[in-house]
Amino acid sequence: MKLLNIIRIIAVLFIIFVATLLLLDRWVSAQTKNQIYHDPAKLPAYNVGLVLGTSKYIAKTLNPYYTYRMSAAIDLYKKHKVDVFLVSGDNAHRSYNEPRTMKRDLLKAGVAKDEIVLDYAGFRTLDSVVRAKEVFDANRFVIITQQFHCERALFIADHYNINATCLAVKEPSRGMATFKIRVREVFARVKAMIDLFVLHVQPKFLGPKEPIIDHLIKAPLKQSPVPATEKMPIESPEKALIPSSSSLTTNSIL
Protein backbone atom coordinates (compact mmCIF):
# COMPACT_ATOMS: atom_id res chain seq x y z
CA MET A 1 0.00 0.00 0.00
CA LYS A 2 2.81 2.38 0.86
CA LEU A 3 4.48 1.64 -2.47
CA LEU A 4 1.26 2.42 -4.32
CA ASN A 5 0.96 5.77 -2.53
CA ILE A 6 4.55 6.63 -3.42
CA ILE A 7 3.89 5.82 -7.08
CA ARG A 8 0.78 8.02 -7.03
CA ILE A 9 2.68 10.92 -5.49
CA ILE A 10 5.47 10.58 -8.05
CA ALA A 11 2.91 10.48 -10.88
CA VAL A 12 1.17 13.62 -9.60
CA LEU A 13 4.47 15.46 -9.21
CA PHE A 14 5.49 14.42 -12.71
CA ILE A 15 2.21 15.71 -14.17
CA ILE A 16 2.63 19.01 -12.32
CA PHE A 17 6.22 19.28 -13.58
CA VAL A 18 5.25 18.66 -17.21
CA ALA A 19 2.26 21.03 -16.98
CA THR A 20 4.50 23.77 -15.56
CA LEU A 21 6.99 23.34 -18.41
CA LEU A 22 4.24 23.56 -21.00
CA LEU A 23 2.67 26.63 -19.38
CA LEU A 24 5.99 28.44 -19.30
CA ASP A 25 6.60 27.47 -22.91
CA ARG A 26 3.22 28.83 -23.99
CA TRP A 27 3.77 32.01 -21.96
CA VAL A 28 6.95 32.80 -23.86
CA SER A 29 5.11 32.29 -27.15
CA ALA A 30 2.19 34.50 -26.09
CA GLN A 31 4.49 37.29 -24.87
CA THR A 32 6.26 37.62 -28.21
CA LYS A 33 3.69 36.69 -30.87
CA ASN A 34 3.02 40.31 -31.89
CA GLN A 35 6.71 40.89 -32.67
CA ILE A 36 7.04 38.06 -35.18
CA TYR A 37 6.65 38.38 -38.95
CA HIS A 38 6.19 35.47 -41.34
CA ASP A 39 5.87 37.41 -44.59
CA PRO A 40 9.02 39.37 -45.57
CA ALA A 41 6.86 41.75 -47.62
CA LYS A 42 5.14 42.95 -44.42
CA LEU A 43 8.38 43.41 -42.50
CA PRO A 44 9.43 47.07 -42.03
CA ALA A 45 12.88 48.08 -43.27
CA TYR A 46 15.69 47.86 -40.73
CA ASN A 47 19.25 49.11 -40.68
CA VAL A 48 20.40 45.97 -38.88
CA GLY A 49 19.51 42.31 -39.34
CA LEU A 50 20.77 39.93 -36.64
CA VAL A 51 21.32 36.44 -38.06
CA LEU A 52 21.58 33.87 -35.27
CA GLY A 53 24.20 31.24 -35.98
CA THR A 54 24.01 27.50 -36.18
CA SER A 55 26.18 24.83 -37.76
CA LYS A 56 26.08 24.65 -41.56
CA TYR A 57 26.57 20.90 -41.65
CA ILE A 58 25.43 18.02 -39.48
CA ALA A 59 27.35 14.82 -40.14
CA LYS A 60 28.44 16.17 -43.54
CA THR A 61 24.82 16.93 -44.48
CA LEU A 62 23.51 20.46 -45.01
CA ASN A 63 21.65 21.70 -41.95
CA PRO A 64 18.28 23.04 -43.20
CA TYR A 65 17.97 25.38 -40.22
CA TYR A 66 21.15 27.12 -41.39
CA THR A 67 20.13 27.09 -45.04
CA TYR A 68 16.70 28.59 -44.41
CA ARG A 69 18.15 31.35 -42.23
CA MET A 70 20.71 32.31 -44.83
CA SER A 71 18.20 32.18 -47.69
CA ALA A 72 15.84 34.45 -45.76
CA ALA A 73 18.65 36.90 -44.94
CA ILE A 74 19.71 37.10 -48.59
CA ASP A 75 16.10 37.63 -49.64
CA LEU A 76 15.71 40.54 -47.20
CA TYR A 77 18.91 42.10 -48.53
CA LYS A 78 17.75 41.88 -52.14
CA LYS A 79 14.40 43.40 -51.18
CA HIS A 80 16.21 46.28 -49.40
CA LYS A 81 14.67 45.33 -46.05
CA VAL A 82 18.05 45.16 -44.28
CA ASP A 83 21.10 47.40 -44.78
CA VAL A 84 23.74 45.56 -42.77
CA PHE A 85 23.95 42.10 -41.24
CA LEU A 86 25.25 41.28 -37.80
CA VAL A 87 26.09 37.58 -37.99
CA SER A 88 26.45 36.17 -34.50
CA GLY A 89 27.52 32.72 -33.45
CA ASP A 90 29.98 30.40 -31.83
CA ASN A 91 33.69 30.52 -32.58
CA ALA A 92 34.64 27.46 -30.55
CA HIS A 93 37.80 26.56 -32.44
CA ARG A 94 39.58 27.10 -35.74
CA SER A 95 37.61 24.44 -37.58
CA TYR A 96 34.21 25.61 -36.27
CA ASN A 97 33.40 29.26 -36.87
CA GLU A 98 29.73 30.11 -37.39
CA PRO A 99 30.12 33.86 -38.11
CA ARG A 100 32.89 33.29 -40.66
CA THR A 101 30.83 30.62 -42.44
CA MET A 102 27.80 32.89 -42.61
CA LYS A 103 29.90 35.76 -43.94
CA ARG A 104 31.36 33.57 -46.66
CA ASP A 105 27.89 32.50 -47.85
CA LEU A 106 26.54 36.05 -47.74
CA LEU A 107 29.47 37.26 -49.85
CA LYS A 108 28.81 34.50 -52.39
CA ALA A 109 25.20 35.69 -52.61
CA GLY A 110 26.27 39.23 -53.45
CA VAL A 111 26.12 40.97 -50.08
CA ALA A 112 28.80 43.68 -49.88
CA LYS A 113 31.72 42.99 -47.56
CA ASP A 114 31.19 46.32 -45.78
CA GLU A 115 27.63 45.34 -44.95
CA ILE A 116 28.53 42.27 -42.90
CA VAL A 117 29.65 42.60 -39.28
CA LEU A 118 30.84 39.55 -37.35
CA ASP A 119 30.16 38.78 -33.71
CA TYR A 120 32.41 35.92 -32.68
CA ALA A 121 31.10 35.84 -29.10
CA GLY A 122 27.52 34.80 -29.80
CA PHE A 123 27.90 31.62 -27.78
CA ARG A 124 24.23 31.57 -26.79
CA THR A 125 21.06 33.34 -27.87
CA LEU A 126 21.33 35.60 -24.81
CA ASP A 127 24.88 36.59 -25.76
CA SER A 128 23.91 37.36 -29.36
CA VAL A 129 20.88 39.49 -28.50
CA VAL A 130 22.40 41.43 -25.60
CA ARG A 131 25.72 42.03 -27.37
CA ALA A 132 23.83 43.46 -30.36
CA LYS A 133 22.78 46.32 -28.09
CA GLU A 134 25.60 46.58 -25.56
CA VAL A 135 28.55 46.10 -27.92
CA PHE A 136 27.26 46.93 -31.40
CA ASP A 137 24.93 49.69 -30.19
CA ALA A 138 21.93 48.37 -32.13
CA ASN A 139 18.69 48.99 -30.28
CA ARG A 140 16.34 48.45 -33.23
CA PHE A 141 16.88 45.39 -35.38
CA VAL A 142 15.24 42.34 -36.90
CA ILE A 143 16.28 38.86 -35.83
CA ILE A 144 16.39 36.16 -38.50
CA THR A 145 15.75 32.58 -37.36
CA GLN A 146 13.01 29.95 -37.00
CA GLN A 147 9.83 30.82 -35.07
CA PHE A 148 10.52 28.78 -31.93
CA HIS A 149 13.94 30.45 -31.74
CA CYS A 150 12.38 33.85 -32.50
CA GLU A 151 10.16 33.54 -29.46
CA ARG A 152 13.01 32.88 -27.04
CA ALA A 153 15.26 35.53 -28.61
CA LEU A 154 12.50 38.16 -28.40
CA PHE A 155 11.68 37.18 -24.82
CA ILE A 156 15.31 37.91 -23.94
CA ALA A 157 15.26 41.16 -25.93
CA ASP A 158 12.12 42.35 -24.14
CA HIS A 159 13.72 41.67 -20.77
CA TYR A 160 16.60 43.97 -21.72
CA ASN A 161 14.29 46.62 -23.25
CA ILE A 162 15.68 46.02 -26.73
CA ASN A 163 13.47 47.10 -29.63
CA ALA A 164 13.54 43.96 -31.75
CA THR A 165 11.27 42.03 -34.07
CA CYS A 166 11.87 38.70 -35.75
CA LEU A 167 11.35 37.17 -39.17
CA ALA A 168 10.27 33.57 -38.64
CA VAL A 169 11.88 31.64 -41.47
CA LYS A 170 10.94 28.25 -42.86
CA GLU A 171 11.45 25.13 -40.76
CA PRO A 172 12.15 21.57 -41.93
CA SER A 173 9.18 19.24 -42.40
CA ARG A 174 8.02 17.70 -39.17
CA GLY A 175 9.63 14.46 -38.03
CA MET A 176 11.20 12.86 -35.00
CA ALA A 177 14.29 15.10 -35.19
CA THR A 178 12.09 18.21 -35.32
CA PHE A 179 10.10 16.93 -32.34
CA LYS A 180 13.29 16.41 -30.33
CA ILE A 181 14.42 19.94 -31.15
CA ARG A 182 11.07 21.32 -30.01
CA VAL A 183 11.28 19.41 -26.72
CA ARG A 184 14.79 20.75 -26.26
CA GLU A 185 13.43 24.26 -26.82
CA VAL A 186 11.00 23.88 -23.90
CA PHE A 187 13.90 23.29 -21.53
CA ALA A 188 15.92 26.08 -23.19
CA ARG A 189 13.11 28.51 -22.38
CA VAL A 190 13.00 27.45 -18.76
CA LYS A 191 16.75 27.91 -18.54
CA ALA A 192 16.41 31.34 -20.15
CA MET A 193 13.91 32.36 -17.46
CA ILE A 194 16.23 31.16 -14.71
CA ASP A 195 19.10 33.07 -16.31
CA LEU A 196 17.04 36.26 -16.61
CA PHE A 197 14.99 36.32 -13.41
CA VAL A 198 17.04 34.30 -10.93
CA LEU A 199 20.71 34.24 -11.87
CA HIS A 200 20.76 37.54 -13.81
CA VAL A 201 23.24 36.04 -16.26
CA GLN A 202 25.20 38.41 -18.50
CA PRO A 203 26.97 37.64 -21.80
CA LYS A 204 30.24 35.77 -21.42
CA PHE A 205 32.10 38.62 -23.12
CA LEU A 206 31.13 42.25 -23.56
CA GLY A 207 33.95 44.67 -24.26
CA PRO A 208 34.21 48.13 -25.83
CA LYS A 209 31.51 49.61 -28.05
CA GLU A 210 31.73 48.91 -31.77
CA PRO A 211 28.67 50.80 -33.13
CA ILE A 212 27.31 48.98 -36.14
CA ILE A 213 25.57 52.12 -37.46
CA ASP A 214 28.92 53.92 -37.62
CA HIS A 215 30.20 50.97 -39.61
CA LEU A 216 27.26 51.36 -42.00
CA ILE A 217 27.74 55.10 -42.42
CA LYS A 218 31.43 54.71 -43.21
CA ALA A 219 30.80 52.00 -45.83
CA PRO A 220 31.57 53.19 -49.38
CA LEU A 221 28.74 53.80 -51.81
CA LYS A 222 28.20 50.62 -53.81
CA GLN A 223 26.49 52.01 -56.91
CA SER A 224 25.16 55.17 -58.49
CA PRO A 225 21.57 56.14 -57.79
CA VAL A 226 19.06 54.65 -60.23
CA PRO A 227 16.86 57.22 -62.02
CA ALA A 228 13.22 57.15 -61.04
CA THR A 229 12.28 56.12 -64.57
CA GLU A 230 14.37 52.97 -64.37
CA LYS A 231 13.48 49.87 -62.42
CA MET A 232 15.95 47.59 -60.74
CA PRO A 233 15.59 43.95 -61.77
CA ILE A 234 14.49 41.71 -58.96
CA GLU A 235 16.48 38.54 -58.62
CA SER A 236 14.90 35.48 -57.07
CA PRO A 237 16.99 33.99 -54.23
CA GLU A 238 18.98 30.90 -54.99
CA LYS A 239 17.45 27.70 -53.73
CA ALA A 240 19.71 25.45 -51.75
CA LEU A 241 19.37 21.71 -51.56
CA ILE A 242 17.50 20.94 -48.34
CA PRO A 243 17.93 17.51 -46.75
CA SER A 244 15.01 15.74 -45.12
CA SER A 245 14.45 16.33 -41.42
CA SER A 246 15.10 12.66 -40.73
CA SER A 247 18.81 13.29 -41.26
CA LEU A 248 19.00 15.84 -38.45
CA THR A 249 20.15 15.47 -34.88
CA THR A 250 19.34 17.79 -32.01
CA ASN A 251 23.01 18.72 -31.59
CA SER A 252 24.30 21.93 -33.16
CA ILE A 253 20.89 22.97 -34.52
CA LEU A 254 20.75 26.21 -32.57
Side-chain angles (χ1 to χ4, degrees):
M1 196 67 178
K2 289 183 178 180
L3 179 61
L4 183 61
N5 288 335
I6 293 174
I7 293 174
R8 287 174 178 171
I9 292 172
I10 292 174
V12 170
L13 291 176
F14 178 75
I15 292 171
I16 293 173
F17 174 72
V18 172
T20 301
L21 290 180
L22 294 177
L23 284 173
L24 292 175
D25 176 74
R26 291 297 85 204
W27 182 54
V28 171
S29 298
Q31 289 290 104
T32 58
K33 65 180 181 179
N34 294 329
Q35 298 164 259
I36 297 176
Y37 291 82
H38 296 86
D39 183 359
K42 296 180 181 179
L43 182 74
Y46 286 84
N47 288 128
V48 179
L50 172 62
V51 187
L52 297 179
T54 185
S55 59
K56 182 175 180 177
Y57 295 98
I58 299 175
K60 298 182 179 181
T61 301
L62 267 175
N63 177 3
Y65 288 90
Y66 175 92
T67 304
Y68 288 136
R69 291 180 199 182
M70 298 307 297
S71 296
I74 293 164
D75 184 49
L76 291 181
Y77 181 80
K78 291 182 176 181
K79 290 178 178 177
H80 307 289
K81 292 287 188 176
V82 171
D83 295 321
V84 60
F85 289 112
L86 174 60
V87 291
S88 179
D90 196 354
N91 179 27
H93 46 78
R94 294 179 65 181
S95 61
Y96 185 81
N97 191 316
E98 292 175 355
R100 187 174 60 192
T101 301
M102 288 189 284
K103 178 182 179 180
R104 183 167 58 244
D105 287 340
L106 288 173
L107 289 173
K108 288 179 181 178
V111 179
K113 180 180 179 181
D114 293 314
E115 294 174 346
I116 306 171
V117 177
L118 280 65
D119 177 14
Y120 292 109
F123 302 111
R124 301 183 305 160
T125 303
L126 184 146
D127 295 66
S128 296
V129 172
V130 176
R131 280 175 56 82
K133 177 182 179 181
E134 298 300 329
V135 175
F136 297 96
D137 212 20
N139 194 39
R140 181 182 180 273
F141 53 86
V142 57
I143 301 167
I144 301 166
T145 189
Q146 278 73 28
Q147 177 162 340
F148 66 88
H149 201 191
C150 278
E151 292 169 352
R152 176 158 47 96
L154 289 171
F155 188 81
I156 294 169
D158 289 346
H159 180 79
Y160 284 92
N161 296 314
I162 298 171
N163 182 10
T165 58
C166 191
L167 177 66
V169 309
K170 188 177 179 181
E171 298 183 26
S173 57
R174 296 184 181 276
M176 182 55 66
T178 304
F179 174 75
K180 290 179 180 179
I181 291 166
R182 190 61 188 85
V183 171
R184 174 186 179 276
E185 176 63 20
V186 173
F187 289 97
R189 293 181 181 193
V190 173
K191 185 179 186 306
M193 291 181 192
I194 295 172
D195 287 343
L196 295 176
F197 301 120
V198 180
L199 302 178
H200 306 290
V201 172
Q202 296 298 316
K204 187 173 182 180
F205 297 111
L206 282 174
K209 290 271 189 181
E210 300 177 29
I212 199 170
I213 300 301
D214 287 355
H215 177 91
L216 178 62
I217 293 171
K218 292 174 183 177
L221 187 64
K222 293 190 298 177
Q223 59 186 17
S224 301
V226 179
T229 56
E230 297 183 15
K231 293 183 179 180
M232 292 290 290
I234 300 176
E235 300 179 11
S236 59
E238 296 180 0
K239 294 183 179 180
L241 179 63
I242 306 300
S244 63
S245 61
S246 61
S247 65
L248 300 180
T249 65
T250 56
N251 295 327
S252 304
I253 291 298
L254 301 180

